[in-house]
Amino acid sequence: MGEGLEAGKHHCALKVLSLPETGGLWGAGAMVGGLVPSGLQTWLSTSYCPHSNSCRLFYPEDPIKIVRGQGQYLYDEQGAEYLDCVNNVAHVGHCHPLVVQAAHEQNQVLNTNSRYLHDNIVDYAQRLSETLPEKLSVFYFLNSGSEANDLALRLARQYTGHWDVVVLDHAYHGHLSSLIDISPYKFRDLDGQKEWVHVAPLPDTYRGLYREDHPNPAGAYASEVERVVNSVQEKGRKIAAFFAESLPSVGGQIIPPAGFFQEVAEHIHRAGGVFVADEIQVGFGRVGQHFWAFQLQGEDFVPDIVTMGKSIGNGHPVACVATTQAVARAFEATGVEYFNTFGGSPVSCAVGLAVLDVLEKEQLQAHAASVGSFLTELLRQQKAKHPIIGDVRGTGLFIGVDLIKDEATRTPATEEANYVVSRMKENYILLSTDGPGRNVLKFKPPMCFSVDNARHVVAKMDAILTNMEEKVRSCETLRLQP
C-alpha cells in the first residue's frame, strides 16, 4: 500500500465530493438523519485515510461503515441491518460460529508453516479429494485465489514446456502481474495484450456471437477457440494452458453452454496444453446441482487443474490448487522447492475443514439449489413484467439479471442498473453490477440466503422498477407499454 506515497503525508482513496441527502435521479440516498455518522466522518477525512486512490469502496458517494456480520446480514455502526446479496466470500454465512470456533481453537494450540507434520493438512486434502474427480489427487495450499492461479500457470508451463495461454474475453483471474496479463478485464486498461496471450470469445448466449437461437452454441464457441489455437500454431507458438472461470462472473454472470468445455479441452490437449478451471468465484456447492461448477458441463469433463479461493475459507485467507499426479511430477522435476509460508497452516486447514463440515451438516448445496431456483423463478416473473429486464440467467445462488435499454439491440442499461443498485441500498439490500456494460445485477449471496430473503429482494426490486417506469423515460424499455 505504501508504494508511491510520500513520506509523512496521508492520501485518501475516497473521492467523496459530496454526500447528497437525496440527489437527483441518479443521486445517492439520504444519510442517517441527514448527517454523516461521526465514525464515518473520521474515516472520510483526508487526515485519516492513508490509502491509494486505486483502492475503492462500494457506494463511494454514500459509503457504509460495516462493523458486524452474521449469516446473510451486515450491520453498520448505527445498527442498521443490510441483506447481503453479493458476498460469495462469506460462503456459509458471515462469522459462522463453527468456523470462528475452529479458527480460535486451533490458534490457541498451534499455527505454524507446513514443513512440520500435522493432521489438519492431511485431513483437509483428503476431504477435498472426496469432492473431486479421482485424477485430481494432488493439492497445493495457498492464501488467495490470485496465488492459486499464478501457481496453476507455473504448473501448466512446466508440465507442457510451452508458454502461451488462451483465455476468454472479459475474464478476470487475479491481481498479480502474471494474472493481469491473462485477464482481458484488466489488461485492456493497462499495458494491453501480451503476444503470448490469446483471447477467445466469451460463450455468452444472450449477447455474444452465438445466441440462444443457435442450434449448437457450445460447438460454435468451441470452434472459435479452435480457430484461436490454429492461429497461434501458425505463428510457431505453443499453448501451455486454457484458463476459464467455470462460470464467468466479471463477464456478466455467464453460464457456458453444456459441452463447451469438453470440446475446448480436446482442442487444447491436441495442441499440447492443459485446461485450468478457475472455481474461485463459484465452487463449493454454490451452483446447487453440483459441488463444482465445472461439473455442470457433464460427467465426462475433468479439468487438468482446478483453482479454489474466496469461499474456501469463508473469509479466512485460504486457497488451493488441485491437479493430477502427472502435472505435479513435472513440477517436482525442476528440483526447485515450492513453499508457501502460510499456505496449509494448521489454522487455515482447520478453517477449511470447518467450512466443509458446515456445508455438509446444513446441506447448503441442496439449499442453494432450492432457494436459487425459487429466486430465479421470481426474477423471471419480473422479466415478464418489466421490459428493462432482458435476461435472467444462473444456477443455484449464482444469478445475473441483465438490464437493457432496447429489446432489439440489447444495449446495456448501465446507468439504470447503477440506479437500481443505489435504490436497493436505500432499502438496506446490498447488490452490485457486473459485465462489460456494468448492467448485470449479480446475485452471489452467502449460502444461507433464504426463501424469505428472495421474496423480500424481488418485492423491493419490483417496486423500484415500477417507480422507474412511472417516472423515468431514460431508455426504450422504461417507457410505458401500450
Side-chain angles (χ1 to χ4, degrees), residues 38-293:
S38 59
L40 192 54
Q41 285 178 328
T42 300
W43 173 248
L44 295 175
S45 167
T46 56
S47 299
Y48 290 89
C49 186
H51 287 69
S52 162
N53 284 316
S54 60
C55 301
R56 300 176 182 174
L57 293 173
F58 289 131
Y59 316 105
E61 292 187 352
D62 187 7
I64 314 169
K65 184 178 179 182
I66 296 297
V67 299
R68 186 168 68 88
Q70 191 67 47
Q72 62 271 50
Y73 301 101
L74 292 170
Y75 300 86
D76 69 14
E77 61 179 342
Q78 304 298 308
E81 180 182 85
Y82 293 83
L83 176 59
D84 185 354
C85 296
V86 291
N87 199 325
N88 59 335
V89 177
H91 191 57
V92 299
H94 292 281
C95 302
H96 193 289
L98 294 183
V99 178
V100 172
Q101 180 183 4
H104 176 62
E105 290 181 354
Q106 184 57 54
N107 250 322
Q108 290 182 307
V109 179
L110 173 71
N111 194 26
T112 186
N113 64 57
S114 58
R115 282 180 167 164
Y116 303 98
L117 296 175
H118 198 278
D119 289 344
N120 283 8
I121 192 170
V122 178
D123 293 344
Y124 190 35
Q126 177 61 37
R127 289 283 298 279
L128 284 174
S129 72
E130 292 168 2
T131 71
L132 288 160
E134 186 176 356
K135 82 169 192 175
L136 295 168
S137 58
V138 182
F139 300 85
Y140 299 85
F141 293 103
L142 316 93
N143 307 296
S144 70
S146 289
E147 280 192 356
N149 279 334
D150 179 75
L151 178 58
L153 182 57
R154 290 178 60 192
L155 291 169
R157 284 173 167 165
Q158 180 61 33
Y159 175 69
T160 64
H162 302 167
W163 192 258
D164 288 26
V165 176
V166 179
V167 295
L168 295 174
D169 204 1
H170 308 298
Y172 176 59
H173 293 291
H175 65 81
L176 300 181
S177 295
S178 61
L179 305 175
I180 295 293
D181 287 345
I182 64 170
S183 299
Y185 168 69
K186 290 290 187 182
F187 70 58
R188 289 203 172 107
D189 293 326
L190 294 169
D191 298 330
Q193 186 172 338
K194 299 292 193 295
E195 63 177 357
W196 52 269
V197 177
H198 313 280
V199 180
L202 183 70
D204 178 356
T205 56
Y206 181 66
R207 58 163 45 82
L209 287 175
Y210 309 105
R211 300 187 175 184
E212 66 273 12
D213 57 351
H214 193 282
N216 181 20
Y221 278 114
S223 293
E224 292 294 325
V225 176
E226 181 182 27
R227 179 186 58 76
V228 170
V229 170
N230 290 340
S231 175
V232 172
Q233 293 178 320
E234 287 169 4
K235 297 173 184 175
R237 306 188 68 91
K238 296 181 179 180
I239 302 295
F242 174 83
F243 270 73
E245 300 162 89
S246 296
L247 299 178
S249 178
V250 169
Q253 306 291 97
I254 303 300
I255 311 298
F260 171 66
F261 282 0
Q262 288 93 324
E263 294 194 41
V264 168
E266 289 181 12
H267 301 316
I268 296 299
H269 289 156
R270 195 177 301 122
V274 297
F275 193 112
V276 180
D278 180 340
E279 289 274 335
I280 292 164
Q281 292 271 10
V282 292
F284 293 87
R286 175 162 297 279
V287 301
Q289 300 173 51
H290 300 281
F291 199 80
W292 303 107

Side-chain angles (χ1 to χ4, degrees), residues 87 102 127 176 182 250 360 371 388 405 441 452 469 473:
N87 199 325
R127 289 283 298 279
L176 300 181
I182 64 170
V250 169
E360 183 178 332
V371 176
I388 194 173
K405 286 182 177 290
L441 304 176
D452 286 343
E469 288 163 349
R473 299 294 179 266

Side-chain angles (χ1 to χ4, degrees), residues 309-332:
K310 293 190 186 295
S311 56
I312 187 174
N314 208 57
H316 185 87
V318 189
C320 180
V321 175
T323 190
T324 65
Q325 290 284 349
V327 171
R329 283 195 297 268
F331 194 57
E332 294 162 8

Side-chain angles (χ1 to χ4, degrees), residues 357-422:
D357 287 343
V358 173
L359 285 168
E360 183 178 332
K361 290 175 182 176
E362 299 184 9
Q363 299 181 324
L364 291 180
Q365 180 182 328
H367 181 79
S370 174
V371 176
S373 294
F374 181 76
L375 175 57
T376 300
E377 177 56 32
L378 291 183
L379 291 168
R380 285 180 176 155
Q381 291 172 14
Q382 293 300 302
K383 177 180 181 293
K385 181 177 180 180
H386 302 289
I388 194 173
I389 299 178
D391 190 35
V392 175
R393 52 183 175 263
T395 177
L397 287 174
F398 178 89
I399 301 168
V401 179
D402 199 314
L403 302 188
I404 57 173
K405 286 182 177 290
D406 178 86
E407 289 183 271
T409 63
R410 300 182 178 181
T411 303
T414 304
E415 191 178 24
E416 294 77 12
N418 289 335
Y419 176 68
V420 171
V421 168
S422 177

